[in-house]
Amino acid sequence: MILKGCNRFQMIGLEAVAKLAQVSSATASRALSRPDKVALETRTRVLQAAEELGYQPNHLASGLRKGKSRTIGVIISDILNPGQAMLAKGIQDAAAKSDYTVFLFNSDEESDKERRALESLRGHMPQGLIVVPTPGAKTNLKLVPNLPTIELDRASGLKNAHTVMVDNIGGTTTAINHLIGLGHKRIAMIVGDFAISTAVERHQGYREALEHAGIPYREDLVLAGHHREDGGRTAAHKLLSKPLKQRPTALFVGNNEMTIGAVLATRALGLSIPEDISIVGFDDSRWAMTLHPALSVVSQPAYDLGYLACETLLGLLERHKPPNASSVRLATNFISRESTAPPRKT
Amino acid sequence: MILKGCNRFQMIGLEAVAKLAQVSSATASRALSRPDKVALETRTRVLQAAEELGYQPNHLASGLRKGKSRTIGVIISDILNPGQAMLAKGIQDAAAKSDYTVFLFNSDEESDKERRALESLRGHMPQGLIVVPTPGAKTNLKLVPNLPTIELDRASGLKNAHTVMVDNIGGTTTAINHLIGLGHKRIAMIVGDFAISTAVERHQGYREALEHAGIPYREDLVLAGHHREDGGRTAAHKLLSKPLKQRPTALFVGNNEMTIGAVLATRALGLSIPEDISIVGFDDSRWAMTLHPALSVVSQPAYDLGYLACETLLGLLERHKPPNASSVRLATNFISRESTAPPRKT
DNA sequence: AACGCCAATGTAATCGTTTGCAGTAATTAA
DNA sequence: TTAATTACTGCAAACGATTACATTGGCGTT
């Protein structure tokens, strides 16, 4: 009681507002959040007092009392990846619209970092979670067993999960069909890590499109790039070093980073795009557009994806929906630029 | 008291741990955070109980009580800008190392969004703030008068501010000197918004370098690009449409986004880089590297900048440093690639 | 033996906000 | 006139963790 007047953040609390408005703190609280429960005259008095003192509610306290922190946790794989950054932006905007605040973390595709992020998060009592799951998510998510969670961009494989993803299979088949339509027969693919659902689905799309066109699936044309630029580079190098007759005439790359590597490897080998090799990447970006020749890509509605994921989560929080699994797929968009052309006549 | 056993988050509180360990909650608390104040035997008992119940401390509660939330607010200008994303990453990593959690916001260079971010932030009782200030920051920051704040990348102009920035003047003069060294005389610049300190400093660096080389400063060679791609495009278009004798032979662009616009405008006009025009950008990025020809740039140590800003802030929080202003400048690094060459012989 | 001291623990107040309950006054119904 | 209803308001108990203060018992000193 001794230090009552000297709070640490020189906080102006409800108590102070109440005193100035000559009401109890209970009434002051109601005046601010339950206008109908308080006489108009009293209410204006409280509002004025709050204004005068520059009162700002303390979310820690109200969060503690109400059991709602008005925060959500977000774990993306890598803020430096433009697609992921776009996801984050969509989430942020949706959250801000409903007055939620976001704790943002990067997993850098490492399950360990994901786990640490979840541990940090836990103590802050977020009301929900949006996560781009790493391969370890199935285990890690047990750390927050009762937290409403949306899996974004990929699925962890957990039953009863809510997911918001793109139509990877459809996006890929469109791209491959485009290449087939141009006359390509030897179409290679650089795939990501099969522990990540997008890689599996994109691979499946590739396979299905070939099959559908009656082109046999050849294992030697599918190399793993491990989601990284370096992996893309070495995979592309290997594919493009084949003797001309076996060398693919088109290359489909399963993600952003690997595509850069593939393009650089192509340049390094002195091959020209699209004359020697057509290339299609997954996920659009600034560099894909400004590249010369500009890259044809399967583009994802990343902003919408993030926005939608957040809206879905908040919907889950507001109306106490049953915890049934839900699954949303957004369509991709194939953008044909300059990196694809018919194969050279042989 | 009625619902004591049925907490909302099915929270396991200290109370529960204490009961299981047969001590008071006070002792349980001490066992966890003040090991030396508790008998070893008791401590292990508490730790074991905590482990068994999967106890997780509630930061809302401890934050409320201690007046320390272990969170910091971060407002960057745009998460989609790779440089800014890198700042965020540096901050995050530094924060995580000291067990702080980050509230991340985007201002999108709009003072209004910055203000709203600060308002959101306020209620969550962050212990500090790192902000890439918009032009309105000088006003906006009054919303959080006693919050330890680091200004990152730019200065708001507030007295007594702590700033962490790069040496914009030095970085620019190096770049301009490089162009001068190649033999350029008509060197144009596309500047940003002078309400932002980096634009002012980079412009000053440009001016100083010319002066030092005895080249007169010409107002018609300096155009505003307003920090956006579009602005860069129109400014470059105007500059490069001049009659050959007056057309600049080199172009220095004050930031990332504007540089893209400038490059696209150059391409659109059918001019080739670096034969017709040498271009240097400020701030490196993936597209600057992969561009053909690869762009020469003044690169900033963005990760370090963010990391350092966070460390500085946390330092301020830990040891109760006096609130003197401080100012850190990191050096830039000029990267010479393929977009600069001697001017054409006339 | 009497005293002081220290270590270990418990009691209870506190952080700021919310809310069930109870109380008061004013209004309406009977 | 009395009872019942309504509309406001205040009291006080939460939320979970921390910590000043009080209490206990054990030890050493004189």
Side-chain angles (χ1 to χ4, degrees):
Chain A
M1 201 52 129
I2 298 165
L3 295 175
K4 190 53 170 287
C6 142
N7 291 311
R8 291 158 302 204
F9 287 133
Q10 67 277 357
M11 274 247 67
I12 291 101
L14 260 187
E15 199 83 32
V17 175
K19 193 171 295 172
L20 180 58
Q22 306 182 54
V23 292
S24 73
S25 60
T27 304
S29 171
R30 280 186 286 248
L32 295 169
S33 45
R34 298 280 178 81
D36 53 315
K37 288 286 175 198
V38 123
L40 180 65
E41 195 263 343
T42 317
R43 195 165 103 80
T44 54
R45 202 145 33 90
V46 171
L47 256 47
Q48 192 172 1
E51 173 72 25
E52 191 171 326
L53 296 175
Y55 168 75
Q56 195 62 22
N58 183 329
H59 286 37
L60 295 188
S62 71
L64 178 59
R65 175 62 230 252
K66 296 201 289 188
K68 322 198 150 217
S69 56
R70 290 202 87 74
T71 58
I72 62 172
V74 173
I75 307 178
I76 59 176
S77 72
D78 182 9
I79 196 177
L80 299 180
N81 183 324
Q84 296 278 319
M86 194 61 114
L87 290 176
K89 186 154 197 172
I91 295 172
Q92 293 256 15
D93 286 356
K97 195 172 57 98
S98 301
D99 251 311
Y100 277 75
T101 304
V102 166
F103 283 111
L104 184 71
F105 291 84
N106 287 262
S107 67
D108 290 328
E109 305 283 9
E110 294 169 30
S111 296
D112 217 53
K113 276 202 180 178
E114 182 179 66
R115 186 179 46 71
R116 283 202 296 276
L118 287 170
E119 280 168 354
S120 287
L121 210 43
R122 214 162 37 159
H124 292 287
M125 307 288 134
Q127 292 183 246
L129 173 68
I130 299 177
V131 60
V132 176
T134 69
K138 219 166 165 174
T139 311
N140 287 338
L141 286 174
K142 290 191 189 127
L143 287 171
V144 289
N146 298 90
L147 193 62
T149 298
I150 309 282
E151 299 180 358
L152 180 55
D153 185 54
R154 324 166 178 166
S156 70
L158 281 173
K159 291 293 155 215
N160 271 39
H162 298 264
T163 58
V164 175
M165 303 184 281
V166 294
D167 177 12
N168 287 298
I169 297 182
T172 304
T173 55
T174 308
I176 301 295
N177 286 341
H178 175 253
L179 291 170
I180 292 173
L182 286 171
H184 291 276
K185 297 269 188 277
R186 286 197 304 281
I187 304 173
M189 175 170 186
I190 301 180
V191 298
D193 185 345
F194 279 156
I196 297 179
S197 69
T198 51
V200 175
E201 292 177 359
R202 290 170 196 176
H203 179 247
Q204 185 183 340
Y206 164 81
R207 202 158 178 162
E208 284 179 9
L210 291 186
E211 214 159 284
H212 187 261
I215 300 176
Y217 174 85
R218 285 174 43 186
E219 286 210 348
D220 64 310
L221 289 185
V222 177
L223 263 62
H226 305 290
H227 278 270
R228 301 235 154 265
E229 173 178 335
D230 237 34
R233 188 199 319 268
T234 53
H237 185 90
K238 196 175 288 181
L239 286 167
L240 299 180
S241 304
K242 289 177 184 282
L244 187 59
K245 294 282 177 189
Q246 295 167 43
R247 194 212 285 161
T249 60
L251 176 58
F252 177 70
V253 191
N255 87 349
N256 223 331
E257 295 284 307
M258 295 191 297
T259 310
I260 295 176
V263 168
L264 293 180
T266 310
R267 281 190 190 165
L269 286 171
L271 298 179
S272 59
I273 308 172
E275 291 79 9
D276 296 312
I277 178 94
S278 286
I279 298 189
V280 177
F282 211 107
D283 213 357
D284 200 10
S285 65
R286 184 76 75 165
W287 68 262
M289 305 193 266
T290 56
L291 198 69
H292 190 82
L295 202 72
S296 300
V297 294
V298 178
S299 96
Q300 313 190 53
Y303 183 87
D304 295 344
L305 224 49
Y307 200 95
L308 189 60
C310 190
E311 278 189 327
T312 308
L313 178 62
L314 299 186
L316 235 59
L317 299 181
E318 307 285 330
R319 10 176 214 299
H320 277 282
K321 276 239 198 93
N324 295 336
S326 78
S327 169
V328 176
R329 290 273 182 179
L330 263 51
T332 58
N333 187 19
F334 181 72
I335 303 178
S336 176
R337 296 206 180 97
E338 306 157 10
S339 67
T340 44
R344 259 210 177 105
K345 302 282 178 247
T346 40
Chain B
M1 204 50 130
I2 297 164
L3 295 175
K4 191 54 171 284
C6 143
N7 291 311
R8 290 160 303 206
F9 287 132
Q10 64 280 0
M11 273 247 65
I12 291 101
L14 258 188
E15 200 83 31
V17 175
K19 192 172 296 174
L20 181 58
Q22 306 182 55
V23 292
S24 72
S25 61
T27 304
S29 171
R30 280 185 288 246
L32 294 170
S33 44
R34 296 278 180 81
D36 52 315
K37 289 286 173 199
V38 122
L40 180 65
E41 195 265 341
T42 316
R43 193 165 106 81
T44 53
R45 201 145 32 91
V46 171
L47 256 47
Q48 192 172 359
E51 174 72 24
E52 193 171 326
L53 295 175
Y55 167 75
Q56 194 62 22
N58 183 328
H59 286 37
L60 295 188
S62 71
L64 178 60
R65 175 64 227 256
K66 296 200 291 189
K68 326 205 144 200
S69 56
R70 291 203 87 76
T71 60
I72 61 172
V74 173
I75 308 179
I76 58 177
S77 71
D78 182 10
I79 197 178
L80 299 180
N81 183 322
Q84 297 277 319
M86 195 61 114
L87 290 176
K89 186 153 198 175
I91 294 171
Q92 294 255 16
D93 287 355
K97 197 173 55 103
S98 300
D99 251 310
Y100 277 76
T101 305
V102 167
F103 284 112
L104 185 70
F105 291 85
N106 286 264
S107 66
D108 289 329
E109 304 284 9
E110 295 168 30
S111 296
D112 217 52
K113 277 204 179 176
E114 182 179 68
R115 186 178 47 70
R116 284 203 297 277
L118 287 170
E119 279 167 355
S120 287
L121 210 43
R122 220 167 25 164
H124 291 287
M125 306 288 134
Q127 292 184 245
L129 173 67
I130 299 176
V131 60
V132 176
T134 69
K138 217 166 165 174
T139 311
N140 286 339
L141 286 174
K142 289 190 189 129
L143 287 171
V144 288
N146 299 89
L147 192 63
T149 299
I150 309 282
E151 300 180 358
L152 181 55
D153 185 53
R154 324 167 177 165
S156 71
L158 280 173
K159 291 291 153 219
N160 270 41
H162 297 264
T163 58
V164 175
M165 304 183 281
V166 295
D167 177 12
N168 287 297
I169 297 183
T172 305
T173 55
T174 308
I176 302 295
N177 286 340
H178 176 252
L179 291 170
I180 292 172
L182 286 172
H184 291 277
K185 297 268 188 281
R186 284 197 304 282
I187 304 173
M189 173 169 186
I190 301 181
V191 297
D193 185 344
F194 278 158
I196 296 179
S197 69
T198 50
V200 175
E201 293 176 358
R202 289 170 197 178
H203 178 247
Q204 186 182 340
Y206 165 81
R207 201 158 179 163
E208 283 179 8
L210 290 186
E211 215 160 281
H212 188 261
I215 301 176
Y217 174 86
R218 286 173 45 187
E219 287 208 349
D220 65 311
L221 290 185
V222 177
L223 263 61
H226 305 290
H227 278 272
R228 299 236 156 264
E229 173 178 336
D230 237 34
R233 189 199 320 268
T234 54
H237 186 89
K238 197 176 285 182
L239 286 167
L240 299 179
S241 303
K242 288 178 187 281
L244 187 60
K245 292 285 177 189
Q246 294 166 43
R247 192 213 285 163
T249 60
L251 176 58
F252 177 71
V253 191
N255 88 346
N256 225 330
E257 295 285 308
M258 296 191 295
T259 309
I260 296 176
V263 168
L264 294 181
T266 309
R267 280 190 191 166
L269 285 170
L271 299 179
S272 59
I273 308 172
E275 291 77 10
D276 297 311
I277 179 94
S278 286
I279 297 189
V280 177
F282 210 107
D283 214 356
D284 201 9
S285 64
R286 182 77 74 166
W287 67 263
M289 303 192 265
T290 56
L291 198 70
H292 189 83
L295 202 72
S296 300
V297 293
V298 179
S299 95
Q300 311 191 52
Y303 183 87
D304 295 343
L305 223 49
Y307 200 94
L308 190 60
C310 190
E311 279 190 326
T312 308
L313 178 62
L314 299 186
L316 234 58
L317 299 180
E318 306 286 329
R319 11 177 212 302
H320 278 282
K321 273 244 197 88
N324 294 336
S326 77
S327 168
V328 176
R329 291 272 183 181
L330 262 50
T332 58
N333 187 18
F334 181 72
I335 303 178
S336 177
R337 296 205 179 98
E338 307 155 12
S339 67
T340 45
R344 258 209 178 102
K345 302 286 180 245
T346 42

